[in-house]
Amino acid sequence: MFFLKAHIQPNQVPTRRSHKKRLLKILTSRLFIVGVLILVQLFLLLFLLVKVGTMRYWISIVFNVVSILMVLYILTREDNPSFKISWIIVIMAVPLIGGVFYLIFGRKMHGRRMARQIESYTDALLHKDHGSLPQCSGNCQTLERLRENHYTLARQADYIYNVSGFELYQNTEAEYFPSGEQFFARLLEELRGAQKFILLEYFIVQHGKMWDSILKILENKRAHGVEVRILYDDVGCVATLPALYADYLRQKGFQVGVFNPFRPRLNAATNYRDHRKICVIDGNVGFTGGINLADEYINQKEKYGHWKDTAVLLRGEAVQSLTEMFLELWQFTCHESLSLSDFLPTRSHSCAGFVQPYGDSPLDNFNLAENVYMQILNHAKNYVYITTPYLILDNEMINALCLAAQSGIDVRIITPHVPDKWYVHMVTRSHYSQLLRAGIRIFEYTPGFIHAKMFVSDDSTAIVGTTNVDFRSFYLHFECGVAFYLSPMVSKVKEDFLRTQNICEEITLEKERAVKAPIRILRSLLRAFAPLM
């Protein structure tokens, strides 16, 4: 059996036997076993370093000198200042040990190797059958049309294209889903209509009503000759899928990739995760947003109160960008060389406004997703509304938020009231006082957990995607989003924000001042190490 389902009656009292089964399941899970093996390696490394450091007095002096040199080295690097400060604290607190940990986890050596491999596959993908692919002139013409309507938005679109290569489109319809339930219903409908291929790329997949319903359709489509590729992140699914689940899916006739497998070894590359949520059907229909393939996202299972999430559907030419993102990581993961011309859209749809899907990689020197958010803040004239499950800010984002609010822009942020990770939520709340003093309004979603990642500004631009406002999304995850310019989608995102705000609790400076001193101290302590979480 690849998975077990436990059926517990609502009023059934858990027995000692059921507790033992649950404990046994935890102790034999891959997450627990791999975690223990990594902790053993950490313990042995610490033991060795401490043992060596206490052998001779002069060795201790050497350790301190090496730590100082390591700090000087970190200061010269082009990393984010918050990231550097966190590592400097660790190194100075535990000389040499902190330095060794920085060499293992802090640098991007493994990331550079991964980046070269992905780039080689991507170059081959985009240049293969080059004559059959759309040329840049189409993107330039679309940018020019946007520039004629709104110069500032054209600068944003130009930046995304110049940094990432993802083009701006017009001939694309879009649909907005303000809840996981609405997204799920439309996803099933579109999957049933697949004729050629289905591409699925998700951070989390878990058996339940949502995935089982999707899997049933995929099996039916595969039986009728539809090609199905499934790519999921191993760390995202380590607690939700069995270790051999990819083989189980392959036996059903699907092509399956497991991104960056979670192995029991100290390796900084483990930090790089595929946090994207993408579904492409026949090249003509694409979905993305915050919603993974698990029951809490459609409120079939309650984990942290009511789960609020959002997604978008694209139909037409812009789906090509979502396809490119999928194929980029698929080729790297599965070592399969593909031709983009086999996956291109075959339909276009006239629509109002402009659409620009884009992907962000942690392996380059461009913080694309964060910079897109900051450009919206810097160019706003009236308002910027934001939803995010996590608010773990670097200095640049804090400055952009506060500068916008202090310049008279109506900046509002919705975060969860019921957290999924208590320590991350404490870091989120640690920023409240500074933001409130700058004039930003903060709301917590009292029904439960808000997982939506959205920006909307000035009735002219909106972004719906997978990128949280935190260090992991900005620096360690593969992410994606869709920017809408002068599109009807902008008003839909704004309306959903305002509806959601009406059922939130507004956080005030008075409420923040009433927080007890021990909680404030703990928040500050956790915030100091936020870039390393």
Side-chain angles (χ1 to χ4, degrees), residues 127-135 320 339-342 344:
H127 289 94
K128 187 181 293 184
D129 301 330
H130 183 74
S132 64
L133 300 181
Q135 302 300 308
Q320 177 177 326
S339 173
L340 179 60
S341 60
D342 295 332
L344 292 176

Side-chain angles (χ1 to χ4, degrees), residues 335-348:
H335 308 291
E336 179 187 9
S337 181
L338 298 171
S339 173
L340 179 60
S341 60
D342 295 332
F343 299 89
L344 292 176
T346 58
R347 302 172 189 169
S348 63

Side-chain angles (χ1 to χ4, degrees), residues 447-507:
F449 187 70
I450 186 165
H451 192 251
K453 309 98 167 34
M454 304 191 302
F455 269 57
V456 60
S457 177
D458 291 351
D459 296 344
S460 61
T461 183
I463 289 178
V464 180
T466 68
T467 309
N468 301 315
V469 185
D470 70 356
F471 278 91
R472 293 204 67 84
S473 276
F474 291 156
Y475 296 98
L476 295 173
H477 286 169
F478 290 87
E479 304 280 4
C480 65
V482 183
F484 298 95
Y485 312 109
L486 307 178
S487 164
M489 291 288 286
V490 176
S491 64
K492 293 177 182 178
V493 175
K494 179 184 178 182
E495 289 166 7
D496 185 37
F497 180 96
L498 295 174
R499 281 195 303 268
T500 305
Q501 178 189 302
N502 290 335
I503 53 175
C504 291
E505 174 190 357
E506 184 164 8
I507 307 300

Side-chain angles (χ1 to χ4, degrees), residues 62-107:
V62 171
F63 279 11
N64 287 321
V65 171
V66 171
S67 296
I68 293 172
L69 294 175
M70 186 68 69
V71 167
L72 294 175
Y73 168 74
I74 292 173
L75 289 173
T76 63
R77 291 182 60 81
E78 297 181 0
D79 294 324
N80 182 274
S82 299
F83 181 77
K84 292 194 285 189
I85 289 171
S86 296
W87 275 112
I88 289 172
I89 292 173
V90 171
I91 292 170
M92 297 308 292
V94 281
L96 190 68
I97 294 175
V100 171
F101 275 35
Y102 174 78
L103 291 175
I104 296 174
F105 298 110
R107 297 194 303 161

